[in-house]
Structures are given as structure tokens and as C-alpha cells.
Amino acid sequence: MAKVNVYVTLKPALLDAQGKVVQGALENLGFDKVQSVRMGKFIEIEVDGNGNLENDVEEMCKKLLANPNTENYRFEIVK
Amino acid sequence: MKFGVVIFPGSNCDQDAYFAVRDVLKQPVEYIWHQETDLDGYDCIILPGGFSYGDYLRTGAVAKFSPVMNAVSEHAAKGGRLIGICNGFQILCESGLLPGALISNNGLRFICKYVNVRVANNKTDFTNLCTDGQVLSIPIAHHGGNYYADPETIKKIEDNNQVILRYCDEAGNVTAEANPNGSINNIAGIINEKGNVAGMMPHPERAVESILGSDDGKLILQSIVERLS
């Protein structure tokens, strides 16, 4: 069994409205050193570790977990 | 001609679309469950608004793998008419049947109100009863209606006259103030390259009788009938 952590984020060119709201809130709290906040999704997958796991996860990201038009993704396999 | 309205788990404008076609357009129409795999005999498929599969993960992301979507793609490939409204538009973009994507509204608010849209191309299967530049009053109701595509794609669809509706003010001016959700170049509706697939965020099925506040939406739906009759 392996655990895979997938991180999906909006492409930098896109306005991240969620991130902007949180950035504003942090500034209101007095954290004036905050330069920018980007928010995304964290997806934890448990998977049978046999076969070419790397390729499988790549496929999962491309087909479903991220929209290539608007999002970037990266993942790490935690054994 | 016959219409079909697809129902996904979470569709909530299916009955409005059905009503608009049956009671206002007086055309035959049937509901299509999301597990159907055969769409033979339908001339126009409507993907209605709602929150397919709860819109978990991303709007439309799960719906694109519904059993019915293979048949929907085949229908479109054969030249059949297909219109996605609101969540239906999001599903068509996710499926790659239309270019681009719909992301969260600027400001992150769910917006439910009448807006004005300007007809940008009246030569299509979905706008042929409108005049070019005509301003239609049609409601929107969405949280993720902010149309996005990379600059290359935007240029391609604009050069190709694939934009059919743009958010505008009452006088038809396409301005930043009249843009409710941040969509690039105020884009509210597009068609595919072949011209048989349309997607739009405003809800024409909710504006088919003046008692509803506007019957401008009827022009969009009636245009499909006009083209196929």
C-alpha cells in the first residue's frame, strides 16, 4: 500500500479569488508581511503500490483531478 | 424534431428546460437519465443547470465520465444539436466539447439576477431568431461562471465568430461594469467550431414567459427549432 499526496493549484495567470480573500483577512489581522496567498486542493489517495504507480497517478491527475486549462498539479508518493 | 433533457444527480433546471420545450415551444421532449447510453432519435440534447454529482472536486468534472456523456459526444460528432446551460456549459468545457473552462466568479459570490447579454453572432443554430447586437434580458444563477481560456484560444474563438453572447449594459455596451463574474471579454456563451454545440451561463429556460420577467430566452430555444424545421 502506498499513499499519494496530490496538490492541485490554479495556474499563476488566473485570479485566485479564494486566495485573495484569505490574503485580505490575514492583512486585517495585522500580518502585513503577507505578500500573496494562493489556495488549492490537497487530495490524499491510498493505492495498491504495484505496477507503475507514477504513471497511474499522472493519468489520474490529467483525466480527473486537475483541469489542464486552469490548473497545475504535482504529487508525491509516500511509501 | 425531438429534444432530450439529460438528468444528472444534482441537476435542478431539468424541469424548467422540459417545461420550456414542451409547454412554450410545443415540441416533443423526453428526460434522459445519466446512465442512458443510446441517444438515437433525439435532434437536440439539453444539458441543464444544476450541480451535477454535487460539483465536488470541480464543476462538471465528475459528470464528464457519466455513461450518458459518451452518447452525448457521439451525438455531437454526428452533427446533432447540443446545448449546455450553466452547469451544462461547465460540463461541456470539462468534456472538451467546448474550449476553455469556467472558474469561480470574481468576488466569490453566488450571483442570481437578471443580466443583459448582447447577441454577438446571430447566424448560429442557437441565435438565428435574434438580430445582431440585440440585447436579451436573461437570468444567471451561478458561483462558477467566470469564462477562462488562454489568450491563443480566446483569439481563435473570437476570430472564428464562436462567441454568441456577451454580458452588456441595457444599451448593449460591453463594459467591465456589466460583467457579473469576470469572464474574459464578457463572454457569456460560445459555440464549437462546427456550430452545432453551444454553451451559455445565462438560463434561457427561465426566461420564456413575460410573467417570469422576460421571454427573451425563448429566442435562443426557438432558434434551434427554427433551424431544424
Side-chain angles (χ1 to χ4, degrees):
Chain A
M1 185 75 81
K3 209 177 84 181
V4 183
N5 294 333
V6 181
Y7 306 88
V8 181
T9 50
L10 273 181
K11 286 186 175 173
L14 272 74
L15 171 75
D16 177 1
Q18 269 183 304
K20 276 262 180 276
V21 169
V22 173
Q23 182 184 346
L26 288 173
E27 283 165 5
N28 287 342
L29 284 172
F31 296 106
D32 45 13
K33 285 181 190 157
V34 174
Q35 295 291 308
S36 92
V37 178
R38 305 283 294 177
M39 284 181 64
K41 295 188 191 98
F42 168 59
I43 303 163
E44 213 174 45
I45 302 172
E46 280 184 352
V47 61
D48 186 340
N50 295 330
N52 194 337
L53 188 52
E54 197 114 347
N55 273 9
D56 286 352
V57 178
E58 192 76 42
E59 281 286 286
M60 291 180 205
C61 291
K62 275 189 194 145
K63 280 191 172 158
L64 179 67
L65 302 180
N67 180 333
N69 284 309
T70 53
E71 294 170 326
N72 291 328
Y73 61 85
R74 64 187 171 84
F75 60 85
E76 62 206 13
I77 295 168
V78 189
K79 292 283 178 197
Chain B
M1 69 163 293
K2 190 161 126 193
F3 281 84
V5 178
V6 176
I7 307 175
F8 297 98
S11 293
N12 60 23
C13 299
D14 42 347
Q15 293 188 27
D16 301 46
Y18 189 91
F19 169 85
V21 173
R22 188 193 62 182
D23 294 79
V24 180
L25 305 187
K26 311 283 186 205
Q27 297 295 318
V29 57
E30 276 177 31
Y31 287 122
I32 300 163
W33 187 233
H34 67 117
Q35 280 167 334
E36 280 292 326
T37 51
D38 179 8
L39 296 181
D40 270 359
Y42 294 101
D43 301 293
C44 180
I45 302 293
I46 301 178
L47 302 189
F51 296 86
S52 52
Y53 299 88
D55 272 350
Y56 296 119
L57 188 65
R58 275 190 321 279
T59 53
V62 181
K64 75 174 163 184
F65 294 114
S66 274
V68 76
M69 285 308 290
N70 280 332
V72 166
S73 297
E74 278 168 27
H75 171 85
K78 282 190 282 190
R81 271 60 174 192
L82 171 60
I83 179 167
I85 300 163
C86 200
N87 193 230
F89 184 17
Q90 294 162 334
I91 295 168
L92 291 178
C93 286
E94 272 289 331
S95 309
L97 288 166
L98 288 174
L102 292 137
I103 58 173
S104 292
N105 298 342
N106 276 2
L108 284 181
R109 283 196 308 175
F110 184 95
I111 308 167
C112 180
K113 64 173 186 183
Y114 270 90
V115 296
N116 295 302
V117 286
R118 184 188 162 99
V119 177
N121 177 358
N122 73 341
K123 311 261 180 324
T124 78
D125 293 353
F126 309 90
T127 53
N128 57 72
L129 291 176
C130 308
T131 52
D132 233 355
Q134 185 172 358
V135 178
L136 310 176
S137 173
I138 301 180
I140 55 168
H142 59 240
H143 186 276
N146 182 350
Y147 184 74
Y148 173 83
D150 58 70
E152 214 171 285
T153 305
I154 294 289
K155 186 177 180 331
K156 201 171 140 203
I157 63 173
E158 294 201 320
D159 288 353
N160 211 17
N161 277 326
Q162 284 173 247
V163 177
I164 58 170
L165 300 169
R166 290 184 206 271
Y167 300 109
C168 66
D169 64 19
E170 233 169 290
N173 302 306
V174 176
T175 63
E177 293 72 36
N179 187 343
N181 52 31
S183 291
I184 291 182
N185 298 352
N186 289 42
I187 292 171
I190 57 171
I191 51 171
N192 65 342
E193 233 169 297
K194 249 163 70 180
N196 63 319
V197 178
M200 59 187 287
M201 286 315 293
H203 287 269
E205 81 285 7
R206 290 191 190 175
V208 290
E209 292 178 306
S210 48
I211 196 172
L212 298 171
S214 165
D215 62 358
D216 291 352
K218 208 166 86 179
L219 288 169
I220 302 283
L221 300 171
Q222 189 73 42
S223 286
I224 305 167
V225 180
E226 184 72 15
R227 189 53 60 92
L228 288 175
S229 300

